[in-house]
Amino acid sequence: MVAGRSSRDRAIDLRGKGDGKGVIDTVALSLVFPDFSVTDPSRFGTKRRYPEGGWSRTQNSTRRERLANVRRPSLTWSSGRPGRPFEHLRIELSLPKLLFGDNLSELEDGDAGALLRLLSSVLGEMGVMATPEALWRARLSVLHVGKNVPLPKGMTCSAVNRELASYPQRASWQLSQKTFENGGDLFKLHRKSFEFVSYDKLHDIGRARKAAHRATHSAADHLTPGVGETTASESSVLRVECRFNTPQETRKALARSGRYTKAARLCDVFRSDIAMGVLLTGC
């Protein structure tokens, strides 16, 4: 699904210019006791019990925190579930948003140490103890990879998305939904456990800034200064993402890129060449 050359548009190169930037974005990590421990159960919501056995409790950022750009992962703590008798923790978050406050900035291979230490510290504030080493080895149940593509002057995101929408999709994708929104600012292909999304990243950031300003006068002050301001006057930025939303889809995506694993872990994908391979073969 990478836009190719046409009489109207120049080619877009998702590989960039050899900048070494990683393209991993949102992940859901799974930890099993004793790789984590809950030190403050009161931080979690009420216990939800299931007819088939077991329970779960969740902890999420508040709307005010999200609008103020306070980035915390979404946590699900569970035990006694079918096939998961031991205590289990699911951690879902955007890695670049945690480290940088946005995903216009892209992770580099060398960011792993700082990111893992920060995530371990944030979890501690949320009443969970997990070491950076345990997080590095955590299993992946969701993997979103993406790339910010600065477009040549004169080329718009809506023009690229119209081009993408005109391409025939793979029959094997078995799509259940095709979305084209906001005059072309967003184009999405969806099936049960996979999404391909292409959208105007600077427009997306602008909407987030306006929402934050409406919610509270001080919220916009917490957003990364300058993001989406100077670049917007120079060119558009197309955000392209492949979202693999189950462990099975994640394993298949890694296998297509030449890295087969029975249980994908964060350490398996936190490399720019692997993540880029997943993106290119996933599109």
Side-chain angles (χ1 to χ4, degrees), residues 129-194:
M129 181 181 294
T131 66
E133 293 76 19
L135 294 167
W136 185 236
R137 299 190 307 270
R139 291 192 176 189
L140 281 171
S141 56
V142 168
L143 174 63
H144 295 182
V145 291
K147 185 70 177 173
N148 297 316
V149 186
L151 301 180
K153 288 184 179 180
M155 182 185 292
T156 65
C157 295
S158 58
V160 175
N161 283 336
R162 282 194 295 271
E163 185 80 3
L164 290 173
S166 70
Y167 277 62
Q169 281 77 53
R170 301 176 188 173
S172 60
W173 280 11
Q174 297 177 339
L175 299 174
S176 59
Q177 185 179 354
K178 182 175 179 178
T179 305
F180 194 61
E181 296 178 359
N182 301 330
D185 283 339
L186 179 143
F187 172 62
K188 178 166 67 175
L189 299 173
H190 173 81
R191 69 169 186 250
K192 184 177 180 180
S193 55
F194 168 80

Side-chain angles (χ1 to χ4, degrees), residues 225-241:
V227 171
E229 292 176 358
T230 57
T231 311
S233 64
E234 298 170 359
S235 66
S236 298
V237 176
L238 185 74
R239 176 75 177 176
V240 179
E241 295 182 8

